[in-house]
Amino acid sequence: MATSIKIKVNGLTHGVSASLDTPLLYVLHNELHLHGPRFGCGLAQCGACSVLLDGKEIRSCVTPVAAVSGKTITTLEGLPALYASQRGTTVNAPDLHPLQQAWIDVQVPQCGYCQNGMLIQAADLLATTKNPSKDQIKTAMNGHLCRCGTYTAIIEAIQTAAKTMAKGA
Ligand code: FES
Ligand code: FES
């Protein structure tokens, strides 16, 4: 049975109509038309569907929408505004999160399917670990699968973004 639920996504509160056990991913796609998070395995195994919940990476494919009511969700689309708020500034289009810019500069994506989850996990990592080592990055990214093998480029991009963020850029 559909129920009216309020969820806060990328700084905006939305009223959505969904069953309480509907996966958050479906609500983000079908109600809010946010397509950064991807459907991959649907089993919390690949990371393609990742979003931040109160700043921590979660798998939206297995998270019931009722579990996020009253909490703050950030999707790939909200990373620039999240970074601006962390710096006490405002976002101006076409600003990107330093991770997104580094992904472009290092030319990380190949097919791109996994990259939402990689960026979300990297944002979680850099929020708490300002200058991660290769081993710390590998450990943090361990639960994300890339069938195109972009892992080496991802490490380089995360370290590039960390340097940018350390400069306050
Ligand atoms: S689609 Fe959610 S972890 Fe794979
Ligand atoms: S870039 Fe293709 S799955 Fe990662």
Side-chain angles (χ1 to χ4, degrees), residues 25 38-50 59-62:
L25 178 62
R38 302 288 183 89
F39 183 89
C41 63
L43 298 167
Q45 297 296 308
C46 72
C49 65
S50 292
R59 308 287 159 110
S60 67
C61 68
V62 293

Side-chain angles (χ1 to χ4, degrees), residues 42-116:
L43 298 167
Q45 297 296 308
C46 72
C49 65
S50 292
V51 299
L52 296 173
L53 179 64
D54 290 342
K56 300 305 294 178
E57 184 264 355
I58 62 157
R59 308 287 159 110
S60 67
C61 68
V62 293
T63 303
V65 66
V68 305
S69 182
K71 299 179 180 171
T72 298
I73 300 153
T74 304
T75 69
L76 183 67
E77 294 88 343
L79 285 185
L82 176 68
Y83 183 60
S85 73
Q86 288 166 344
R87 300 169 66 215
T89 60
T90 53
V91 67
N92 298 303
D95 288 354
L96 295 175
H97 190 291
L99 281 162
Q100 293 169 310
Q101 187 60 55
W103 247 243
I104 294 168
D105 294 343
V106 176
Q107 298 186 10
V108 173
Q110 291 195 27
C111 82
Y113 206 87
C114 70
Q115 299 296 326
N116 166 73

